[in-house]
Amino acid sequence: NHMERLETIQMDMARWILGGSKKMTNEAALGELGWRPLKICRENRLLAYDNHLQHQPDDRWQKVLWRENRVGEMSKKKGEMIIKSGWELRVVRAAEKYSVDRNQVMLESKANKLINRKIAEKWLEIWKGNMEGKKSLKWYKAKEWGSEKYILMEGETKWLTQARCGK
């Protein structure tokens, strides 16, 4: 899978930037740099672009194609919507994962802020869950979760540097 390979490269790059060893946990590297996994970044951009397309004038070719891909055909057997394209399937899955209502009417900039916030909150939840299972980050976990703002806002923290594995 290409995404898995790209995420491996991202983690190798994070360790290289921080001067960490292979023993450094992914959570420490991502937290220290304020990065999110590429899959989450891709889903964020996917939802933001889908939102952008919704706000295009109806006569724009992007909007016409978006509308054609979004409108499915009703299945006579199950009464469910059949999704026509891979694009729509990825958008639907991402919207469900991050609890984004694609039909909510609001200004494009406000919707993008909402999308970014929901994804940041979900990433924080995932990151915290992953942190709990890492014995090597015991020292960091004993500290207050000062990095919550960091993970949400992509700021900086000094604690994760000290929590590197093998150092």
Side-chain angles (χ1 to χ4, degrees), residues 12-21 24-25 28-33 160-161 164 167:
D12 289 345
M13 182 59 67
R15 287 182 186 91
W16 179 79
I17 289 169
L18 295 170
S21 68
M24 176 187 261
T25 64
L30 291 172
E32 183 64 27
L33 294 172
L160 280 171
T161 304
R164 291 184 191 162
K167 296 230 175 188

Side-chain angles (χ1 to χ4, degrees), residues 123-136:
W123 166 235
L124 177 62
E125 180 184 316
I126 292 167
W127 185 77
K128 278 184 175 181
N130 291 344
M131 288 284 288
E132 291 302 319
K134 306 289 181 175
K135 291 179 184 176
S136 57

Side-chain angles (χ1 to χ4, degrees), residues 1-47:
N1 185 339
H2 295 298
M3 280 307 293
E4 289 172 6
R5 180 72 183 123
L6 288 173
E7 296 228 355
T8 301
I9 292 169
Q10 178 189 26
M11 293 314 309
D12 289 345
M13 182 59 67
R15 287 182 186 91
W16 179 79
I17 289 169
L18 295 170
S21 68
K22 286 283 185 186
K23 293 180 181 180
M24 176 187 261
T25 64
N26 292 348
E27 291 74 25
L30 291 172
E32 183 64 27
L33 294 172
W35 290 359
R36 297 180 183 145
L38 292 175
K39 181 180 180 182
I40 292 177
C41 294
R42 182 176 136 216
E43 291 167 340
N44 190 345
R45 287 180 177 85
L46 183 73
L47 290 170

